[in-house]
Amino acid sequence: MSDFTHNFWSIYVAGMTLAGIIGCLLLLWFTARKKVDATTDNTTGHVWDEDLTEMNNPMPRWWMWLFVITIVFGLGYLAFYPGLGNFAGKLGWTEVKEYQEEMQKGEAEIAPVYARFASLTTEQLAGDPPAMAIGERLFMNNCAQCHGSDARGSKGFPNLTDKDWLHGGLPENISETIHNGRIGMMPPMAAAVGTADDVRNVANYVLSLSGSPHDSVRASLGKSKFVACAACHGMDGKGNQVIGAPNLTDDIWLHGWGEAAITAMVNNGKTNEMPAQASKLTEPQIRVLTAYVWGLSNRPKAAQ
Ligand code: HEC
Ligand code: HEC
């Protein structure tokens, strides 16, 4: 339960804590016994505003007892709760246990809500307003920081509202993505393509695939170089969802478009990661999120 690497430190810290408390008690006892010097006028010698003198009287009893009570409380607290080095305290209380109990209580409270969802398919969940209200909140708390609160993504973070999928848009693909995360990895390809000029040519060929503005002479020269890319993006450039290679013909760009962006992509490659969520979310939460994400691009227009 403790992070002490060696028992010595536990004993050392416990000793210091107890010494501090006993020190307070001794100080209290000592100052309470100190006799007032009767030979003088019983003041401390401090005078303010000409005639306001500070008397040297003993501390009031009630005040002393308050002090004693705090010390007794402190010792009692240390007996029952963790605080003395490694000693766990008589009650066995830990922050982790308290957290887990609260989580269990919370989960038990919402279990009936999710129980109703268990019998619904993804399609039905996506059309169920209470489920989607929960889905939206889960998305805001767990996904929006990367994909945006409108789920439209940004550079490097895919838009989840369109029909363009890196890893597949069927409910089972989305569920798999949320559970285990995804890594999109393109190695640096410049060496396989050839010279810097070849890289510019193939970049223009890629732009031509989606009808984006490009240099058509360079594009025709780059076509033959695209074989280096075909293993992942396909001979037709339409991509491969099994390895997360994007479709290069749809004019949707995860990492920006234009000759410069694509040249950089070929020269440097890219590793892009969606972190796994299975350990952060419960199974019913992932089901609802799957339906929410699926619904973003599949919900009938009428529902919007
Ligand atoms: C830390 C940032 C981050 C968080 C948090 C995150 N994602 Fe992602 N997500 C990504 C990235 C980056 C990708 C793209 C991976 C790639 O390039 O292959 C991605 C991909 C996806 C995809 C696949 C898209 C496709 O086109 O196939 C889905 C679905 C998805 N995320 C859903 C979610 C959901 C639901 C959550 C919340 C539970 C979430 N993501 C949280 C960064 C994140
Ligand atoms: C080993 C497989 C692989 C090869 C070979 C490969 N790519 Fe990629 N490429 C990927 C993956 C995976 C991604 C997505 C990276 C991500 O998830 O961010 C990608 C992304 C891209 C993108 C970004 C697309 C966007 O939407 O922004 C471009 C452009 C691209 N590749 C062009 C090429 C070209 C040109 C070649 C050949 C010279 C090539 N790729 C070779 C796997 C590959």
Side-chain angles (χ1 to χ4, degrees):
M1 72 139 257
S2 90
D3 296 330
F4 290 117
T5 50
H6 193 283
N7 213 24
F8 166 78
W9 291 111
S10 166
I11 294 169
Y12 178 78
V13 170
M16 294 288 269
T17 312
L18 288 176
I21 293 178
I22 292 167
C24 281
L25 206 57
L26 283 177
L27 187 71
L28 194 62
W29 179 74
F30 181 71
T31 50
R33 285 177 64 85
K34 193 164 186 297
K35 290 255 159 47
V36 169
D37 191 349
T39 58
T40 64
D41 59 354
N42 193 24
T43 73
T44 59
H46 299 154
V47 182
W48 288 278
D49 291 343
E50 288 168 10
D51 59 352
L52 194 57
T53 52
E54 185 183 1
M55 305 301 285
N56 189 13
N57 287 327
M59 291 182 282
R61 287 244 148 209
W62 63 265
W63 197 84
M64 253 183 54
W65 280 115
L66 265 185
F67 233 132
V68 173
I69 288 170
T70 59
I71 289 169
V72 172
F73 175 84
L75 290 172
Y77 184 90
L78 289 174
F80 287 106
Y81 288 94
L84 268 186
N86 266 340
F87 178 59
K90 288 250 176 261
L91 293 182
W93 179 93
T94 72
E95 251 175 43
V96 176
K97 236 191 253 175
E98 184 170 281
Y99 169 78
Q100 281 166 349
E101 276 165 17
E102 275 172 20
M103 287 298 283
Q104 270 169 11
K105 202 167 144 244
E107 272 161 28
E109 267 169 28
I110 52 168
V113 179
Y114 281 106
R116 186 174 71 79
F117 300 158
S119 59
L120 303 181
T121 63
T122 301
E123 289 80 353
Q124 288 168 330
L125 275 177
D128 188 82
M132 288 305 94
I134 293 177
E136 186 178 8
R137 255 167 275 148
L138 287 172
F139 191 87
M140 292 303 162
N141 287 337
N142 298 286
C143 324
Q145 71 269 43
C146 290
H147 292 284
S149 51
D150 58 359
R152 288 180 194 279
S154 59
K155 204 169 174 193
F157 301 102
N159 182 344
L160 303 178
T161 67
D162 59 11
K163 291 246 181 200
D164 179 53
W165 296 96
L166 295 162
H167 304 281
L170 297 173
E172 55 266 36
N173 303 136
I174 298 172
S175 173
E176 161 81 19
T177 301
I178 300 174
H179 273 100
N180 302 328
R182 297 279 189 183
I183 293 179
M185 208 204 59
M186 168 161 157
M189 291 301 293
V193 174
T195 64
D197 221 38
D198 291 329
V199 171
R200 285 185 66 188
N201 293 345
V202 83
N204 277 282
Y205 175 69
V206 169
L207 285 168
S208 76
L209 292 174
S210 53
S212 305
H214 63 281
D215 178 330
S216 54
V217 178
R218 282 192 178 276
S220 59
L221 289 171
K223 185 169 193 261
S224 63
K225 297 294 178 187
F226 194 76
V227 286
C229 324
C232 298
H233 293 283
M235 214 44 226
D236 55 2
K238 288 196 192 297
N240 180 354
Q241 294 183 344
V242 175
I243 54 169
N247 182 348
L248 301 176
T249 70
D250 59 6
D251 203 17
I252 294 174
W253 305 95
L254 185 59
H255 300 291
W257 72 279
E259 192 186 285
I262 300 176
T263 311
M265 199 71 201
V266 174
N267 287 333
N268 310 327
K270 186 69 127 198
T271 302
N272 210 22
E273 183 176 356
M274 149 93 195
Q277 308 287 316
S279 59
K280 286 200 237 157
L281 300 166
T282 64
E283 211 46 46
Q285 285 175 325
I286 293 181
R287 280 197 79 231
V288 169
L289 266 174
T290 300
Y292 179 76
V293 171
W294 180 84
L296 291 174
S297 53
N298 289 285
R299 210 169 300 151
K301 284 267 175 292
Q304 289 169 9

